[in-house]
Amino acid sequence: MKKFGIINLFTFVIMRRLLPIIIFLLAVMSASADYCSMKFTTLAGEAHIVQLEGMRITFADNMLNAVTPEATLQIPVADIDQMEFSEETPNTNAINALDVNKTFEVFNANGLACGTFKNAGEAIGMLAPGVYVIKYEDGFTAKIIVK
Amino acid sequence: MKKTGMTLAAIALGAMAVSAQNLNVNCGNVIYTFPAENLGAVKFNEGSNFTVGNRTYNIEDVSSIEVDDEALAAKQVEIKYAGSYARVKVPGEIARYVDVTIDGANVSISQSEEVGDDTCGEITYRLSGNSANGSFKLTGAYKCSVDLAGVSLQSEIGAAVDIQNGKRVNLRVVEGTENYLVDSEGGSQKACLYCKGHMEFKQKGTLYVTGNTAHAISAKEYISIKNSKIYVLGSVKDGLNCNQYFSMESGLLDIKGAGDDGLQVSYKDSENREAEDTGTFTLTGGTINAVTTAKAAKAIKADGDIYVTGGSITAEVNGGGLWDTAKLKTKASSCLGADGIIDISGGDFTLSATGSGGKGMSCDGELHISGGDIVITTTGGMYAYTGGKEYDNYTGNADNLNSDYKSSSKGIKCDSNVTIDGGKICIKTSGNGAEGIESKANLTINDGIIRINAYDDGINCTGNMYINGGDIESVAQKNDGLDSNGNMYIAGGTIRAFGGSQPECGIDVNSEEGYKLYFTGGYIMGVGGGSSYPSNSQSTQPYISASLSSVTAGSTVTISEGTETLASFEVPSSYILAPAYTPAMAGGRPGGTGGGMGGKTVVISVPGMTVGTTYTVTCGTASTTAAAVQYGSSSSRPW
């Protein structure tokens, strides 16, 4: 009888008091912090880390293009070993996609159109250093910095 | 404290649900979603493809890769239609088991044969959105669920939903949603909503289906319905067609505009049937409304048996009869039709047949009623095929027509035994030749309330008739109230049977062929132009036979001994005073000893009557006396 009493008391305490707290703690633990970046590692061992927010990866002409509002990373697909979510700080923050063969419009920080360009290389050659917003034909937009 | 704890848990669980990051691999409008948590590295392979989780993607098939934090239910494929296109989202854990092809808004999904208990288990496909040129096709070999979560599809290429999966398919009509499915005209599809396996409708949403080529809803195996509200708005063939069996325990099935049967259940295999291949219709709850106007169609048709223990059926058949040129016999419509038995122990029935030869219920096997509330109305006349011509209301002498060449309307027609153990049955037939209840074998009534107002015989059987209980009121306008072509045994119950004018009877036994009438109990009154009488010592309850000048609707017939009333019998308002008998009515048959010219033969037998005692029979102002006898020298009819 005493044993059953102890079990019942334990069950009661667990169910009424501790269980919600346990669930809360487990949930908070499992809901770990979001990743902030995507890490691309080449076969040569180079690591390119791109911020996750607003990131969009596309493939064209055997190249991987990872475009974020702040940066564009372009790597030959054949050179990539893997990509993975990461908590590391992005290290790719300037435009270096010189052969993105997609037409886009460029707007300055005041929203004024600066022109339409066939690729990033052409745009860099024409634009003064500063912050711009580019808009692709498919509607995708990104912020770029020309140094 | 308890509230606070539960709130904490809810907040935490909510946080878990919304904070998850996903990697979305977009292949056109197909999105494969992998939770970032524990995803690991995405490996690239020689520049041509990469592997995420358990699926490898060719670079050329991938339009983009993005990250979001939209929660996605586990093992649930989301199919969202948006006008001219559709978007499909596949959770990463099942990505390798699902191949999606999209052409405009026509979505085709192939579920891998690897899917099973030892891999990912059951997958759910959730459909939502609208498309006026969209469809959904699913192939697979393991059970699955298809959720209709507010989807409207009008297909231009065939079925709106085509599930080529031979296993169990949960068809969940999501509560709070309305769903519309319309298929293309002139296609080769079997139905607007088709399933190769067995389809179980669940949840409380609403589904509207239109079948423009064949059936509206069809399954190669069984269909069951629980909770869902399903409206068939029209179909070229059956409203709902399935094999093995149909069962419904709740919800609504409303079928209108069916080009053939409203609901048909067939055997899946013609031979070597599995145990569940019964061809059975079973209703335990819910509501079925079925209307069909097709000739010789059934509102509900089962190749096997029909069982009803609860729920409600409102059925209407408006189509007339049909001459079957292959079988060389007539076919007629029926609200409920079974090649096997019909067994009713509960439920509410409102059945209406307006076409020529139309019936309320018909079955080849036995009919058993032990409960329920049944109301049947038929208005059709006799369908006949003679001299190479079809007649929708044949009024010629049908006695010479083979039964294959004629079909009369009937409240209930059973080719086998009929047994009534309870329930309430109310039947009205008004067409030429229309009987109330007909059994082609024996008919037994042990209990129940029966009210019949028939144009022809009220209750008729080819074999023996046994009445052991119940409350029976049977009015035949042009024929016999009770008509047994074999012996008739009345041992209990309350019976009021009214026949037409002479030569028709309240109670009629086929004495010409030596069959007899037995009274051993019960409160019995027969009124008609004539009557059969007990003629055997085994008939132990005495009776009287009297002739009253009139028996009118709404009046009461009493039998009394002195001042003691033994019994009173109400004459139903439906009883129409038959016209006075004329020799021409006899149709050449010899005149009999019944009620006489315009008079009413009244036969009464009640417990407590004794042989030789004189009793007074009164109806309104009409009154007469007669002495009780146990039996006569022979049965007699007025012809």
Side-chain angles (χ1 to χ4, degrees):
Chain A
M1 284 300 288
K2 195 176 180 182
K3 193 177 178 185
F4 278 116
I6 290 169
I7 290 171
N8 287 339
L9 179 62
F10 177 75
T11 304
F12 177 80
V13 171
I14 287 291
M15 294 303 292
R16 293 290 301 272
R17 309 283 179 186
L18 296 180
L19 190 59
I21 296 170
I22 292 169
I23 291 172
F24 178 79
L25 291 174
L26 286 172
V28 170
M29 286 167 65
S30 65
S32 57
D34 285 351
Y35 295 105
C36 65
S37 59
M38 184 69 76
K39 181 178 180 181
F40 297 85
T41 306
T42 67
L43 292 168
E46 295 175 330
H48 301 272
I49 303 169
V50 176
Q51 75 171 50
L52 218 49
E53 186 178 357
M55 184 196 73
R56 183 173 188 248
I57 299 170
T58 58
F59 300 92
D61 297 331
N62 300 316
M63 302 294 283
L64 177 148
N65 305 296
V67 180
T68 75
E70 302 292 343
T72 297
L73 171 69
Q74 186 176 58
I75 312 174
V77 179
D79 291 347
I80 305 173
D81 177 37
Q82 64 178 45
M83 67 178 186
E84 60 189 323
F85 283 98
S86 170
E87 294 176 357
E88 297 177 55
T89 304
N91 63 6
T92 303
N93 53 16
I95 222 169
N96 56 7
L98 301 178
D99 285 308
V100 180
N101 292 316
K102 288 175 72 176
T103 302
F104 56 86
E105 283 183 276
V106 177
F107 302 87
N108 66 17
N110 296 321
L112 295 173
C114 300
T116 300
F117 302 91
K118 292 180 179 175
N119 55 55
E122 184 185 35
I124 289 171
M126 298 290 290
L127 297 170
V131 178
Y132 298 90
V133 174
I134 63 172
K135 183 179 181 183
Y136 286 93
E137 288 178 324
D138 63 3
F140 180 76
T141 59
K143 189 166 70 176
I144 62 169
I145 302 169
V146 178
K147 293 184 176 178
Chain B
M1 179 62 191
K2 186 180 177 184
K3 230 175 189 176
T4 307
M6 295 312 289
T7 305
L8 274 175
I11 291 170
L13 290 171
M16 284 173 70
V18 300
S19 67
Q21 286 175 302
N22 301 309
L23 181 75
N24 295 323
V25 179
N26 303 322
C27 300
N29 281 329
V30 184
I31 303 159
Y32 297 91
T33 298
F34 297 85
E37 191 75 29
N38 302 322
L39 177 62
V42 175
K43 298 294 288 184
F44 283 73
N45 310 306
E46 299 175 351
S48 60
N49 60 58
F50 61 89
T51 302
V52 189
N54 54 18
R55 185 178 176 113
T56 297
Y57 299 87
N58 290 322
I59 297 281
E60 59 193 20
D61 295 334
V62 177
S63 47
S64 66
I65 300 173
E66 293 170 315
V67 175
D68 70 10
D69 56 4
E70 188 178 321
L72 193 63
K75 293 189 289 184
Q76 176 173 289
V77 179
E78 284 190 1
I79 302 100
K80 292 185 177 178
Y81 293 88
S84 59
Y85 70 93
R87 186 161 287 152
V88 178
K89 210 163 188 180
V90 182
E93 75 270 17
I94 57 170
R96 69 172 289 188
Y97 304 115
V98 175
D99 282 321
V100 183
T101 305
I102 303 178
D103 181 10
N106 295 300
V107 177
S108 181
I109 296 180
S110 174
Q111 178 178 288
S112 168
E113 294 192 0
E114 292 178 36
V115 173
D117 292 334
D118 53 351
T119 55
C120 64
E122 185 171 346
I123 296 174
T124 296
Y125 302 87
R126 186 178 177 91
L127 280 61
S128 62
N130 308 311
S131 176
N133 184 8
S135 63
F136 176 70
K137 181 176 182 179
L138 173 66
T139 61
Y142 184 76
K143 63 187 178 183
C144 67
S145 294
V146 175
D147 288 1
L148 303 180
V151 66
S152 177
L153 290 179
Q154 183 166 349
S155 174
E156 298 292 331
I157 62 168
V161 173
D162 182 7
I163 304 169
Q164 294 290 331
N165 184 332
K167 302 299 182 184
R168 189 270 290 140
V169 175
N170 276 331
L171 208 301
R172 297 191 294 221
V173 189
V174 177
E175 184 171 5
T177 68
E178 288 195 341
N179 304 274
Y180 298 83
L181 301 177
V182 180
D183 65 350
S184 62
E185 294 180 12
S188 59
Q189 71 272 19
K190 293 177 180 173
C192 175
L193 168 55
Y194 178 75
C195 178
K196 185 182 173 187
H198 34 281
M199 195 155 46
E200 297 181 358
F201 285 93
K202 294 173 180 172
Q203 298 198 3
K204 295 182 177 177
T206 305
L207 170 63
Y208 299 88
V209 187
T210 303
N212 285 318
T213 287
H215 310 308
I217 301 170
S218 178
K220 191 173 181 181
E221 296 179 339
Y222 72 79
I223 287 178
S224 64
I225 298 175
K226 180 180 179 183
N227 290 326
S228 306
K229 293 186 281 290
I230 303 168
Y231 293 86
V232 172
L233 302 180
S235 58
V236 173
K237 293 185 178 177
D238 301 335
L240 185 149
N241 178 288
C242 64
N243 298 284
Q244 290 186 328
Y245 64 85
F246 170 90
S247 69
M248 180 169 175
E249 64 176 85
S250 59
L252 168 69
L253 176 61
D254 186 285
I255 299 172
K256 289 186 174 66
D260 197 348
D261 298 327
L263 184 159
Q264 178 168 1
V265 190
S266 304
Y267 292 112
K268 181 183 175 189
D269 298 306
S270 57
E271 53 189 21
N272 299 323
R273 296 182 187 125
E274 295 176 354
E276 60 187 357
D277 192 6
T278 58
T280 299
F281 169 95
T282 303
L283 180 69
T284 57
T287 299
I288 296 179
N289 303 322
V291 179
T292 178
T293 58
K295 282 192 171 185
K298 315 296 189 277
I300 296 172
K301 167 76 168 67
D303 281 1
D305 304 333
I306 289 178
Y307 297 95
V308 181
T309 62
S312 162
I313 295 176
T314 300
E316 189 177 321
V317 288
N318 300 319
L322 191 69
W323 175 245
D324 188 331
T325 55
K327 295 180 179 176
L328 297 180
K329 60 190 297 186
T330 58
K331 291 171 65 179
S333 57
S334 181
C335 293
L336 298 186
D339 290 350
I341 70 169
I342 293 179
D343 190 320
I344 296 169
S345 58
D348 295 326
F349 299 78
T350 304
L351 312 179
S352 171
T354 63
S356 174
K359 296 167 183 66
M361 296 184 194
S362 61
C363 59
D364 295 347
E366 296 191 351
L367 174 77
H368 180 220
I369 298 173
S370 57
D373 192 339
I374 301 166
V375 177
I376 300 175
T377 306
T378 77
T379 57
M382 181 186 293
Y383 174 80
Y385 182 84
T386 178
K389 289 179 64 176
E390 291 181 273
Y391 296 87
D392 279 334
N393 186 20
Y394 188 72
T395 54
N397 186 351
D399 291 345
N400 298 325
L401 280 180
N402 183 293
S403 60
D404 284 345
Y405 289 78
K406 61 184 177 183
S407 182
S408 299
S409 290
K410 290 176 173 53
I412 295 173
K413 177 185 180 263
C414 174
D415 286 345
S416 186
N417 295 327
V418 170
T419 304
I420 299 172
D421 288 326
K424 184 177 178 183
I425 303 167
C426 185
I427 298 173
K428 177 174 173 56
T429 71
S430 55
N432 179 42
E435 295 174 325
I437 300 175
E438 182 193 42
S439 164
K440 291 293 186 183
N442 296 329
L443 185 146
T444 304
I445 300 172
N446 295 315
D447 203 351
I449 299 170
I450 300 171
R451 298 287 181 268
I452 294 174
N453 178 10
Y455 183 95
D456 204 273
D457 289 336
I459 301 175
N460 172 284
C461 65
T462 301
N464 295 331
M465 187 179 295
Y466 304 89
I467 300 177
N468 303 311
D471 180 355
I472 303 163
E473 173 189 294
S474 178
V475 178
Q477 305 295 352
K478 302 289 183 181
N479 214 322
D480 305 319
L482 300 179
D483 183 7
S484 172
N485 291 304
N487 294 322
M488 184 184 296
Y489 302 87
I490 301 179
T494 300
I495 298 103
R496 291 171 292 141
F498 301 84
S501 61
Q502 194 182 42
E504 313 306 347
C505 306
I507 298 172
D508 185 16
V509 173
N510 186 6
S511 56
E512 296 90 331
E513 296 183 23
Y515 294 101
K516 301 186 188 313
L517 173 62
Y518 299 88
F519 292 155
T520 57
Y523 291 81
I524 306 160
M525 179 177 78
V527 179
S531 181
S532 294
Y533 304 102
S535 60
N536 187 297
S537 61
Q538 292 173 33
S539 179
T540 55
Q541 180 168 281
Y543 71 93
I544 61 156
S545 175
S547 180
L548 282 173
S549 57
S550 70
V551 176
T552 56
S555 63
T556 300
V557 175
T558 60
I559 180 168
S560 56
E561 179 187 359
T563 57
E564 182 189 359
T565 299
L566 273 67
S568 297
F569 298 89
E570 289 183 7
V571 181
S573 59
S574 59
Y575 179 59
I576 298 172
L577 191 62
Y581 174 77
T582 65
M585 287 180 173
R589 289 178 289 196
T593 57
M597 308 288 278
K600 298 296 172 189
T601 296
V602 178
V603 176
I604 296 176
S605 176
V606 298
M609 289 177 69
T610 55
V611 174
T613 302
T614 297
Y615 296 94
T616 301
V617 179
T618 306
C619 180
T621 57
S623 180
T624 189
T625 59
V629 297
Q630 183 182 352
Y631 60 94
S633 59
S634 65
S635 295
S636 60
R637 291 202 291 194
W639 64 88

